[in-house]
Amino acid sequence: MPRVRTISGVPVAPGLAMAPAHVVQATPDVIPTWSIRGEEVESELERLQQALERVSNLLEKQRLKVAKSSSSQEAEIFSVHRMILQDPGALDRVRLRIREERLNAEACVQHLIEHLEATMSRLEGNSVRSYGADISDPWRLVIRELMKRDHDAFVSSDEQVVLAAEELTPFVVTYLDRSRVQAIVTERGGRFSHGAVLARSFGFPCVVGVPNLLSRLEQGLRMIVDGDAGTIQLDPGQEEVDHFLSRHTRHVAKRDALVQHAALPAKTQDGTRFAVEVNIESVRDLDLGHFAVDHTDGVGLLRTEFMYMERAQFPSEEEQYRLYRRVVEHFAGRPVTIRTLDIGGDKQLPYFQTPKEVNPALGWRGLRVQLHWADLLRVQLRAALRASAHGPVRLMLPMVTSCEEVQAVHRIFSEVRSQLLDHGYEVAQDLPTGIMVEVPAALLTLPRILKEVDFISVGTNDLVQYLLAADRDNPWVSDLYDPYHPAVLWALCWAADCARQADTPSSVCGEMAGDYATALMLLGMGFSSVSVAPNFLSQVKYAIRSTTLEEVQTLAAEASEATSGDAVRKLLEDLRVRLHARQAGDQTASGVSEP
Ligand code: PEP
Ligand code: MG
């Protein structure tokens, strides 16, 4: 069958990349399947052979151990397992499949296991049937060994790759060191899922919704990913590679030109200054050098859950303190907004079992978890307060639904603060506390909540899903998840108005703020700042510098009157065209080449 060369999916994070594919196994109990090339058959057989030998040695060790600690009769099962792995019929079956089907060894061993179990289940008698599980057991060890070695060898190499997976989850995005990931492509994933948020924040071009991706891929197959168009090209020929290289060069030049603008203040042409902050997920963001701290107005959202997710157990107070302090010192006097732990839904900690919920988005997540396990909150507050001795820190609460929740946090906060002071810790005099506006109840009762807080930030990623009853992770309702729906625009205007009337700073830190035209619309609505993934900082600042307060206010007024999401998109598109023409004119006049 001829290879399908260009496949379309849904663009999730912009950028261009070319690298060999690496298939990520999403959960440990899924056996990865991929095709191998003709010339890889021998090495795949060798990989199988080595795994068989390692399992055989392991079984022998087990046999000796059990023989010593219990009886030699019990130990004999391990000899039987070793013999099962030497069964010529079974071995031939696996090897033949590798040769003829050109599939990886794990998939072929799994096929054998299914065959053995099906054969046994057709036989008479319970004890014979249960023997089916027994004879497949040592083969499962072989799969485990194959997957372990493959992962270990791969993780310790330094090859640059495109990660390919079934689903775009935070696990997949954080699977490898960031310096090795060129792009991510998956079969499934929502544009506003946490995996997508992370991919954008890390600056990985990303395409989701690629049909049958994994069955079309071979491990190591070169591919080109276009995160703007939402396409991937498998096994590109020389012509496609040349085309990629010239586009890539232009892309890098454009990005570099934009960075010059990011160094200038985010001030409109008629002198209105807005704050543009960044969303940070990990202290590793600071080492990547993909943005300059003095081009930002601080951190509008520090998603602390990813620092928890990267560990094998809950980080201690001391660890958290060091991490927060690191960020605070890095931002040298600019405010850092530490959001308290927002786990639940697709953000799970491997060491913290949350209940299985039928509807996790409406379940036990965010602040709800920390008000239940208040010690988790106490430790985090202590760490944040201690970090506040090193620079301005703000505290932000996720998934707030009522004033009572905010008041409960205030009580814990005062208690923790007094304890720290009693023990001689230095903490800031003032630690502004705010909430994420992301649940409709908080939005509707905002005038009351504003009496309890020092700032608000609208989390549109969640607010949109809750307003429109359309799961941000569910591709079946992705058409309904529309950040420009009139209800969403009404909510945004309402939040900005409430904050302005209460004379309280307001921001938007959801993904939509990273789109420069949308950021202008939000600022026109009256938000005092936006917080965006570092990748979008330059574009947003450049857009602010290319407009006027009047223009953005007119845009916001027209958008809030629009009767459909499409009408808003049209307004934003018109704005983009105007800005582009203006920017091109400016550059010609100043002799700067067009970004
Ligand atoms: C949001 O909901 O918009 C937000 C910024 O938080 P998260 O994406 O982490 O849920
Ligand atoms: Mg949220």
Side-chain angles (χ1 to χ4, degrees), residues 192 194 197 279 301 303 305-306 339 342 347 365 436 438 458-463 472 509-511:
F192 296 89
H194 287 106
V197 167
N279 295 348
L301 169 63
R303 285 187 166 95
E305 51 277 10
F306 294 108
R339 179 174 75 179
D342 185 17
K347 289 190 282 192
R365 58 166 290 201
M436 302 274 300
E438 51 186 350
V458 183
T460 47
N461 304 340
D462 277 314
L463 185 61
R472 66 195 264 188
C509 61
E511 288 301 290

Side-chain angles (χ1 to χ4, degrees), residues 5-174:
R5 277 258 172 95
T6 302
I7 316 172
S8 293
V10 179
V12 156
L16 271 178
M18 179 170 69
H22 179 78
V23 179
V24 184
Q25 164 216 355
T27 57
D29 27 291
V30 176
I31 311 297
T33 303
W34 66 85
S35 314
I36 54 171
R37 298 167 197 253
E39 62 268 27
E40 289 168 346
V41 166
E42 289 311 315
S43 61
E44 197 61 13
L45 289 170
E46 181 55 30
R47 201 165 76 85
L48 170 71
Q49 189 53 35
Q50 287 180 5
L52 283 164
E53 281 164 21
R54 285 195 301 272
V55 173
S56 188
N57 292 339
L58 201 88
L59 290 169
E60 178 59 9
K61 270 196 207 143
Q62 261 328 75
R63 188 186 69 79
L64 294 172
K65 206 164 115 192
V66 174
K68 215 161 145 196
S69 60
S70 337
S71 73
S72 54
Q73 205 184 349
E74 280 173 24
E76 270 325 289
I77 181 67
F78 296 104
S79 302
V80 174
H81 277 185
R82 286 182 76 199
M83 280 161 55
I84 289 173
L85 292 183
Q86 288 155 14
D87 170 12
L91 280 171
D92 281 354
R93 206 179 175 91
V94 177
R95 289 183 180 137
L96 197 72
R97 205 168 168 84
I98 293 178
R99 275 187 205 291
E100 295 197 342
E101 302 279 324
R102 302 253 177 95
L103 288 175
N104 59 315
E106 291 87 332
C108 298
V109 174
Q110 174 63 16
H111 193 263
L112 171 75
I113 291 175
E114 284 161 17
H115 165 76
L116 293 174
E117 290 181 351
T119 310
M120 285 309 187
S121 70
R122 284 196 292 271
L123 300 178
E124 294 285 317
N126 281 344
S127 57
V128 177
R129 273 202 295 272
S130 67
Y131 185 59
D134 261 2
I135 57 170
S136 38
D137 230 37
W139 289 107
R140 282 189 218 290
L141 289 180
V142 174
I143 293 189
R144 206 186 65 184
E145 193 61 28
L146 280 164
M147 285 165 53
K148 187 163 147 257
R149 286 294 158 136
D150 186 38
H151 179 269
D152 290 353
F154 179 72
V155 165
S156 60
S157 91
D158 55 5
E159 193 185 15
Q160 305 262 324
V161 292
V162 172
L163 290 178
E166 227 169 283
E167 178 113 30
L168 182 63
T169 59
F171 170 83
V172 169
V173 183
T174 52

Side-chain angles (χ1 to χ4, degrees), residues 417-488:
R417 189 166 195 278
S418 322
Q419 281 165 0
L420 283 174
L421 289 172
D422 288 350
H423 285 89
Y425 284 103
E426 207 185 313
V427 300
Q429 282 283 355
D430 179 35
L431 200 139
T433 306
I435 63 154
M436 302 274 300
V437 179
E438 51 186 350
V439 176
L443 179 89
L444 295 172
T445 54
L446 204 48
R448 260 183 261 161
I449 294 183
L450 277 162
K451 297 197 174 100
E452 309 281 343
V453 299
D454 303 302
F455 66 92
I456 60 161
S457 185
V458 183
T460 47
N461 304 340
D462 277 314
L463 185 61
V464 171
Q465 77 164 343
Y466 295 132
L467 280 178
L468 303 179
D471 184 344
R472 66 195 264 188
D473 292 331
N474 183 344
W476 289 96
V477 289
S478 60
D479 286 354
L480 296 174
Y481 183 103
D482 181 1
Y484 304 106
H485 188 288
V488 176

